[in-house]
Amino acid sequence: MSKSAAILFVHNEVDTIGWWLAHHATIGFSTLIVCDDHSTDGTLTALSNAATLYDIRVQSADTTLSTRLERQTRFHENALAQGHDEFDWMMILAADEYLHFETARSVAEFTANAPGTTIPVNWCLFGSSGRLTPSAFSPVETFIRHGLLSLPDHRVVRHLVQPRSLDTGLPDPFSALDRNAVWDEARILHFAASDRESFFKRDSSATPEQAWKNFDRNDAEYGGANRWLPGSRRIASFLTQASLTDLYWRLKAVMTHADKSALQKLGLTPDQLSVSSSSRSQPQFRFCTLGATQRLMLDMQTGSLVPVGETDTNFGRYNPLIMALEVSDTDIWNACLFVEKPLPGRYLSLAGSPTLLPMVPLHIKIAENTVQSPVSGDDIHIAIPDHALTEIDATISLYSRMTSFMVLTAEGHNLAGLLRGIERLPAADASALGCAVAMLPFEEAERLSDAFPGVVPRNVRSARPPQA
């Protein structure tokens, strides 16, 4: 069976590295070989957690080499040399480059009938699609507009190569500048612009506005790469939950050892954690199904949410949705959405929510009668039959599904309460912890991420409040 490897040299890409890994595992690379160039944002930690789940070979750049270009070149050369006898095909990519096939279902299928030992694949330069701030969703679904085929930048290529047949030197991405770009069979989705804020944060050119103008190309829309999203989301959900499990144990250690340094980074003191808050009563929850004459359920065969009538008894196929509402005297109620029968190893897919957890955190705006994602900050449309929430009995079974979340948030949605909840929670529950983090105030979620880089996924951090 054909073996293939994608090669990546990366620096400070913690918020998107999971999507890069998930995408290239989904399209069929057997192995991902990644070199971290001494990132300071937790990229290496995220890679290390991911490597416990997939064949991701992580290494650090050679510090004896003084420039990043030298370290990158050495890594690329070594990776190709070391893969000489193991891999049939290898490809060097950047963190903002995603390989995409127009019709082939995998790397193996795409390379099966290759006419030679090298396959060049042209860039397809994607712009910001008008996005100004970072997104927790995959770049594939966030940035859907690109430059026209005739754009000169599209003549840049990445090469799938057979390492056994590779001559000395690295594949040259500028080797096809004299030929028009071709996207008939494959293209490199090049998200060089991303959102405007991220671009200007990382751009080091002397003329950043000119660079932005060059890369922010939005002339045509393309959604062909969406076919990889179900697989990418599934893998990304495993990576998210692995990171959150790591976060649980790190926070547990902080409480066990009364780590003053970590607490200082979180803006807390040991005194704040020594006594539980007595001024707040235990939160009360109401449990509801979604709908009255019909109920909204998860179709286990298709993964879609569908209304199901009372007479349909095929409950092996349909899994009822349950919304747990945290009663509040404010206009915004916290809520968690999950399915009646647990989804082990899976996530609940809800359009507009990026969390990739079995339980979806939500904000319910009572006065406006709308639902919002605390992570994206966007409204979420849920097609509730009859526009009705039907309250149901709070059974022991339902409470057991919410126990971990209730423990983590019993003293409020704040860092001090979360840490005291971690101390009481006997085992990691990634889904509950992700929902609790999503409901923290933005500033506290950012402090948590800064204190524990690489283990607080972007897709569970609360949204930045709108500027006044």
Side-chain angles (χ1 to χ4, degrees):
M1 183 176 179
S2 176
K3 287 192 67 177
S4 58
I7 302 169
L8 174 67
F9 185 85
V10 65
H11 176 76
N12 283 356
E13 297 285 352
V14 68
D15 286 343
T16 57
I17 188 63
W19 286 117
W20 189 95
L21 298 172
H23 176 85
H24 290 96
T26 297
I27 68 171
F29 278 106
S30 315
T31 301
L32 306 176
I33 304 171
V34 186
C35 180
D36 177 69
D37 190 34
H38 308 284
S39 296
T40 57
D41 67 347
T43 296
L44 181 58
T45 299
L47 287 168
S48 298
N49 279 326
T52 65
L53 302 173
Y54 299 95
D55 186 8
I56 302 171
R57 304 178 189 180
V58 183
Q59 54 187 274
S60 295
D62 186 350
T63 55
T64 65
L65 301 174
S66 59
T67 70
R68 181 162 296 158
L69 179 59
E70 289 177 305
R71 296 191 293 272
Q72 176 178 285
T73 301
R74 177 70 58 83
F75 161 66
H76 286 161
E77 291 171 342
N78 289 343
L80 289 170
Q82 292 164 6
H84 182 276
D85 296 321
E86 180 179 2
F87 298 106
D88 300 290
W89 294 92
M90 302 182 80
M91 187 177 221
I92 294 171
L93 291 165
D96 57 4
E97 296 174 338
Y98 288 49
L99 176 61
H100 164 65
F101 309 124
E102 297 300 319
T103 56
R105 292 169 294 181
S106 66
V107 175
E109 182 176 305
F110 180 72
T111 57
N113 299 310
T117 59
T118 300
I119 307 173
V121 182
N122 287 97
W123 267 3
C124 178
L125 199 63
F126 279 76
S128 66
S129 295
R131 186 160 189 94
L132 301 177
T133 57
S135 169
F137 294 95
S138 165
V140 168
E141 60 186 313
T142 303
F143 309 114
I144 59 173
R145 302 193 67 84
H146 62 78
L148 299 178
L149 181 62
S150 58
L151 188 69
D153 288 40
H154 292 152
R155 298 183 181 188
V156 177
V157 294
R158 290 296 190 179
H159 295 86
L160 273 161
V161 299
Q162 293 183 354
R164 296 196 248 326
S165 305
L166 191 64
D167 295 330
T168 56
L170 297 174
D172 181 6
F174 305 112
S175 61
L177 296 182
D178 60 339
R179 298 189 293 275
N180 292 330
V182 178
W183 294 335
D184 293 349
E185 297 183 1
R187 64 179 84 181
I188 300 294
L189 313 177
H190 187 26
F191 302 112
S194 68
D195 63 275
R196 184 176 174 86
E197 178 182 308
S198 298
F199 181 87
F200 281 89
K201 183 178 179 180
R202 68 174 182 269
D203 185 73
S204 59
S205 68
T207 55
E209 283 289 352
Q210 185 60 40
W212 172 256
K213 183 178 179 181
N214 180 69
F215 288 119
D216 187 27
R217 302 289 180 155
N218 301 281
D219 304 297
E221 186 171 323
Y222 181 73
N226 286 340
R227 68 190 183 99
W228 307 114
L229 286 175
S232 293
R233 288 172 181 152
R234 180 182 62 82
I235 294 174
S237 73
F238 295 145
L239 303 184
T240 293
Q241 292 172 51
S243 291
L244 288 166
T245 299
D246 188 357
L247 175 64
Y248 166 83
W249 288 111
R250 291 175 186 240
L251 294 177
K252 195 79 166 177
V254 169
M255 297 302 291
T256 300
H257 303 295
D259 187 335
K260 293 182 180 179
S261 175
L263 291 176
Q264 185 177 21
K265 292 178 182 178
L266 293 171
L268 301 172
T269 65
D271 289 343
Q272 288 176 280
L273 301 177
S274 60
V275 180
S276 297
S277 171
S278 58
S279 61
R280 186 179 191 271
S281 59
Q282 288 288 320
Q284 300 298 311
F285 285 83
R286 295 177 184 171
F287 294 92
C288 301
T289 57
L290 279 61
T293 58
Q294 292 183 315
R295 288 189 294 168
L296 196 63
M297 300 191 186
L298 174 66
D299 186 329
M300 301 294 286
Q301 292 185 10
T302 66
S304 58
L305 304 183
V306 296
V308 178
E310 293 181 0
T311 58
D312 194 321
T313 58
N314 188 357
F315 288 101
R317 174 170 180 174
Y318 300 115
N319 200 342
L321 285 165
I322 305 293
M323 184 178 287
L325 293 157
E326 184 178 349
V327 179
S328 171
D329 56 5
T330 69
D331 286 337
I332 299 179
W333 289 22
N334 293 310
C336 293
L337 186 69
F338 55 93
V339 284
E340 188 173 78
K341 301 167 190 174
L343 296 172
R346 298 177 60 183
Y347 70 98
L348 178 60
S349 178
L350 182 65
S353 172
T355 48
L356 301 178
L357 299 170
M359 188 161 62
V360 180
L362 299 170
H363 283 161
I364 310 298
K365 294 185 174 182
I366 302 299
E368 300 175 21
N369 195 29
T370 58
V371 179
Q372 186 183 75
S373 166
V375 176
S376 70
D378 297 330
D379 287 346
I380 293 178
H381 175 69
I382 303 176
I384 302 175
D386 310 310
H387 304 284
L389 293 179
T390 303
E391 191 166 352
I392 57 177
D393 292 336
T395 64
I396 293 176
S397 175
L398 289 177
Y399 266 115
S400 70
R401 297 290 303 282
M402 292 292 293
T403 296
S404 295
F405 177 79
M406 291 176 175
V407 169
L408 292 173
T409 60
E411 297 182 40
H413 298 283
N414 55 73
L415 271 177
L418 177 64
L419 264 68
R420 283 192 290 266
I422 289 285
E423 190 172 34
R424 294 190 298 270
L425 193 66
D429 185 327
S431 188
L433 179 55
C435 288
V437 170
M439 293 176 185
L440 289 173
F442 170 75
E443 295 80 4
E444 295 197 355
E446 291 302 295
R447 285 209 302 273
L448 182 65
S449 179
D450 291 342
F452 298 95
V455 294
V456 187
R458 175 69 185 83
N459 63 345
V460 300
R461 299 206 301 271
S462 47
R464 180 187 304 165
Q467 293 182 347

